Structures are given as structure tokens and as C-alpha cells.
Amino acid sequence: MKLHLRRILPVAAMTVALTTPMLLAAGPAHALLPNRSCGTVTATDATTAANLNKVLTGKLRGAMTSYRISCARAITEATRARGLPDRAAVIGIATAITESVLENNPNKIDHTSVGLFQQQDWWGSFEQRLDPAYATNAFLNAMLKAYPNNSWQSQPVGVVAQKVQVSAYPDRYQLEAADAQRIVDALTTVSAPSKVHLEVVGADGAMWNTDGDYAAGAWTGSWSSVGGSGLKALTSVVTDNTMHVFAIGSTGRVYTKDANYGTGQWSGDWVEVPGGFEGASALTASVTGSKVHLEVVGADGAMWNTDGDYAAGGWSGSWTSLGGSGLKALTSVVTGNTMHVFAVGSTGRVFTKDANYTTGQWSEGWAEVPGNAEGATALTASVTGSKVHLEIVGADGAMWNTDGDYAAGGWSGSWTSLGGSGLKALTSVVTDNTMHVYAIGSGGRVFTKDANYTTGQWSAGWAEIPGSAEGALALTASVTTK
């Protein structure tokens, strides 16, 4: 029997692997498992895919889809999060087109290969290789190790890809280089969402809104009441081009209100989230696909969860306790298909708990975020690539930051003060590769501070959001494409 050499020795491994040649079709003929998510498919992805189908010439000629756009974006965002030039994203996408036709495939096509880069067991666990951020960072780590001092930048795309992948078919990567560049160019044009929608609970207990356009460089300069009374806390998420705001009412019940940013229209009334939950004191929400995962701190000080699927048009209608005690504040983010919830405990220490929404499993307990933060009163988190940026209001009323990289498997282990005084609440969003943190100050005015995660630099001071909002009690922010 003749054996075909598939990959000899990947840069990240010290093993020789003999396997059969990889299938080059869109997936195995008898795949039992559907492709994994690469992240949210946005409202503009179908248009981007249609435009690319007019110009692509390689394996994806006429075959680009919204899903494949989301996978290309995941690779691009993970690359940019490391501050690497877009040529690194071109190399990554050319590799993924060649290996998986840009699909996050969980079926073992070639021996143990899975995911966007068809990485085998030595690259990581099965779930890690199906996390687009982890898989991209593993590829980039191998590339940077193989080409020290940025020497990869002067090499052809296909040569770099082959040195990392060590394929039996070395010439195939370069064939996709032109299309990979076209895809990155298209994502550069449309992938930087610039509109931020900021909501606060005003002194009157109602919700107020203002919008800022970071591409245009301006805020509306005015606040509009969106109704409600006795509101105590807010959080928001976006599915497609619709923003869903969740609020805790005066009795601790949880309500929701929507805004369609295609039409600019808000829904008329606040609607209670099913399940009859009462006594909530804090809340957070996150999105995987069209599903919203909503967590609250209950009257017992534990965290409770319910899920809603806006594509299916319904909520689970029940709440499940996820443990904890004495919790005071919540925030959450998603990396890959895993949600990370962060909570302030009874002494102001910060803890985290994960949920894998592929398997539906939550981690067993709460783990403390390294660095011994104590006395925290509020917190927020955001994501660039596989990196989570976590900010808290410390006992001194200033904002403090620490970063965790889930691809690298660790936290910085230290907290850095970013200034401010008398801060009472935080929220944050990312536009392109810049994080914008919003805070309520001692007088209830709203301020913002930015961090550019390409350069690692924070803006020098806090700038007030135009419109002279005063007396704000809680806030949330979300981003939609224009």
C-alpha cells in the first residue's frame, strides 16, 4: 500500500505524521457534523460575499458566502489584534481557503485535522482547533517562530504558508494569495463598524439614548428619552442590525426593548423577558449566532441564566441557577464559541465562569481573575481577537485594567490604573481595533476613554460625551455597522 506524505513536521510540533492526502472539496462527502460558527454574520456580509463572487478566481470563485465572510473576518480580526500587518491576514486566509475552503469544519478529513486550518492533534485540543481565534493564533505563532525578525513579510504568501503547514501539496497556497488579498481588502472596507449607541438610566429612572459615529468623528450631541420608569441596570447586544436592550425594573424583573438601526425605529413598549424572574440586581448579555445569553444576579446573590433565539423567535422561558454568592456586578464576552462571564464578588474580588455554547456546558466553579483585585464596584469587558480586556472601578473610584489571552491561555496577572475618580459604572465596545470605555462620573455625567490595541496606547484623559447628561445611574453601549 502506498502512503502519501501529507505533512512532515509542522513548525509547532516535533512529530512526523504520515497520512492520506487531504480532500480538497468543500467538506467530506459524508460529513456528520455541521460547520462550526466563526462568529456573528453581520447584515453586510451577504453584500460583501456577492461583490467578491464577481472577482474571485481561485477555489472560491463564485462560492463566497456570508458564513465564509465571517470566517475570513475572524482570521483578520485575530491577526489585527496582535498588531500584525494585514499581510499576515492574507497569508492566514490563503491557507484557510486551501485547507478548508474557509469553513470551520469539525469533521476529521485528514487523519485528525479539523477547523479552518485543518490542524491536527498537536496544535491543540479538538475544541481549541475549532475556536477561530485560537486556531489563527496557533498558525501565527508557528509563522513567527519560523520567520524571526519579521522575515515572513518579504516572502511569498505561499512559501510562508507552506513552511507553517508543511503540506504534501506546497504549490496550492500561492494559488489562493490573490483571492485572499481581495477578501482582506473587502473586509477592510466594510469591517470597521463605526456607530456606537449609548444608553443610560437617567435621574428620572427612564432610559435615554445618544449615538456616536467614530468614522465621522462626531456624536449627536443630544439625548433622547426612550421611556421606562424605575430602571436600575442596563445591558445590550446586537443581532443582525437590531439592538436589544435589557433592563432591570423597580421590582427586579427583567425587560427588553429593541431598536432597528436599519430603520432607526425603537419598539413601542418594554416587554418582560419570559420566566417571571424577580429580584435581579445586575445583568449582562452576549450573543452567539442569533442566540442571546442573558445572565442576572438574583436576590440570592447567585447568577441565573436564560437564553433567547431571535432567529427562532422565542426565549427558553425558564431561568437556571449557575451558582455563586454575594455577586454584585456582571459582564460577559465571547471568544470563539465560548462565553466568559466576569463577576464582582462580595469583597470586590473579580471572578470568571465559562460556557461552551457548542456543548452547552458551563465550567464547574468560579475562578478568580489573577492579580488580587479587591474592592471593585463595577466592571466591563471587551474582545479584540482572542484577547479579553477587563476593566473595573476600584475601591479608589479609578478605572483599572487587566488583559487575558485565551489563545495563549493566560492573564497578565496584574492590574494597571487608568485614572478617573468617583466612577460609578462602566461599559465598553470595540470599533475596528479600538476599545471605547464609557463611565459614569460622580455627578452622573458620562465620560469616555479609548485604547488602541494595535499600539497598546490609551488616550491621555477622559472626555465627556456631548449633551450634558447628568444624574445617570447605569449605562450600556453597542455597535452597529452603517
Side-chain angles (χ1 to χ4, degrees):
M1 180 177 72
K2 182 179 180 181
L3 290 176
H4 298 270
L5 185 61
R6 168 68 179 102
R7 292 188 183 126
I8 302 168
L9 180 64
V11 173
M14 297 299 295
T15 306
V16 173
L18 291 177
T19 69
T20 56
M22 177 187 150
L23 298 177
L24 294 174
H30 303 290
L32 299 178
L33 300 172
N35 288 329
R36 292 286 185 88
S37 169
C38 286
T40 302
V41 176
T42 73
T44 60
D45 286 346
T47 300
T48 304
N51 290 336
L52 282 167
N53 280 331
K54 299 174 184 176
V55 297
L56 297 182
T57 59
K59 288 176 70 174
L60 294 184
R61 180 180 180 182
M64 182 55 75
T65 64
S66 297
Y67 167 72
R68 285 180 169 131
I69 289 292
S70 72
C71 292
R73 183 168 54 249
I75 294 170
T76 302
E77 289 180 349
T79 303
R80 289 173 175 170
R82 296 179 65 147
L84 294 174
D86 276 353
R87 183 173 178 78
V90 172
I91 295 168
I93 290 172
T95 304
I97 294 172
T98 305
E99 296 286 359
S100 67
V101 287
L102 210 51
E103 293 179 343
N104 196 13
N105 192 337
N107 297 283
K108 295 178 180 179
I109 298 173
D110 171 26
H111 193 47
T112 62
S113 296
V114 294
L116 288 166
F117 297 92
Q118 286 296 290
Q119 292 162 331
Q120 298 202 26
D121 283 348
W122 53 73
W123 290 89
S125 71
F126 181 76
E127 291 300 330
Q128 284 175 327
R129 288 175 285 150
L130 291 170
D131 179 331
Y134 175 93
T136 302
N137 277 289
F139 175 86
L140 295 172
N141 289 342
M143 181 185 77
L144 295 175
K145 182 177 180 181
Y147 289 96
N149 302 316
N150 293 320
S151 56
W152 60 272
Q153 295 189 43
S154 61
Q155 297 296 312
V157 167
V159 170
V160 177
Q162 168 61 14
K163 190 158 187 177
V164 175
Q165 299 294 98
V166 195
S167 170
Y169 308 99
D171 297 333
R172 290 178 173 170
Y173 300 109
Q174 189 62 38
L175 297 176
E176 307 304 328
D179 278 357
Q181 183 67 63
R182 294 179 182 113
I183 292 168
V184 171
D185 289 345
L187 289 172
T188 301
T189 302
V190 302
S191 69
S194 62
K195 244 188 150 175
V196 174
H197 313 287
L198 182 61
E199 287 76 34
V200 301
V201 174
D204 59 355
M207 185 171 77
W208 293 72
N209 159 266
T210 190
D211 296 332
D213 191 328
Y214 280 97
W219 285 83
T220 59
S222 62
W223 293 83
S224 301
S225 177
V226 190
S229 63
L231 303 182
K232 298 191 293 183
L234 298 174
T235 192
S236 56
V237 293
V238 172
T239 62
D240 199 5
N241 209 38
T242 300
M243 182 180 71
H244 313 277
V245 179
F246 302 93
I248 297 176
S250 57
T251 65
R253 290 183 176 265
V254 185
Y255 299 87
T256 184
K257 190 179 183 77
D258 296 341
N260 185 315
Y261 278 101
T263 64
Q265 296 298 305
W266 283 85
S267 56
D269 296 317
W270 290 87
V271 177
E272 186 171 355
V273 174
F277 199 91
E278 197 157 354
S281 57
L283 79 172
T284 188
S286 57
V287 172
T288 55
S290 63
K291 280 189 91 172
V292 173
H293 313 288
L294 181 61
E295 287 76 37
V296 302
V297 173
D300 58 354
M303 184 171 77
W304 293 72
N305 159 266
T306 190
D307 296 328
D309 192 328
Y310 282 95
W315 285 83
S316 62
S318 62
W319 293 82
T320 303
S321 177
L322 296 170
S325 62
L327 304 182
K328 298 190 292 183
L330 297 174
T331 191
S332 56
V333 292
V334 172
T335 62
N337 211 38
T338 300
M339 182 180 72
H340 312 277
V341 180
F342 302 94
V344 175
S346 57
T347 64
R349 290 182 177 266
V350 184
F351 300 87
T352 184
K353 189 179 183 77
D354 296 342
N356 185 314
Y357 277 103
T358 301
T359 63
Q361 296 298 307
W362 284 83
S363 55
E364 286 293 327
W366 291 86
E368 186 170 355
V369 174
N372 298 319
E374 194 155 358
T377 57
L379 79 173
T380 188
S382 58
V383 171
T384 55
S386 64
K387 280 190 92 171
V388 174
H389 313 289
L390 182 61
E391 287 76 37
I392 62 172
V393 174
D396 59 354
M399 185 171 78
W400 294 73
N401 160 265
T402 190
D403 296 329
D405 191 329
Y406 280 95
W411 285 84
S412 63
S414 62
W415 293 84
T416 303
S417 177
L418 297 169
S421 61
L423 304 182
K424 298 191 293 183
L426 298 174
T427 192
S428 56
V429 294
V430 173
T431 63
D432 198 10
N433 209 38
T434 299
M435 183 181 71
H436 312 276
V437 179
Y438 305 94
I440 297 176
S442 56
R445 291 178 177 265
V446 184
F447 299 87
T448 185
K449 188 178 184 77
D450 296 341
N452 184 313
Y453 277 101
T454 300
T455 64
Q457 296 298 306
W458 284 84
S459 55
W462 290 85
E464 186 172 355
I465 300 295
S468 301
E470 196 157 356
L473 306 172
L475 80 171
T476 188
S478 57
V479 174
T480 57
T481 56
K482 297 177 72 176

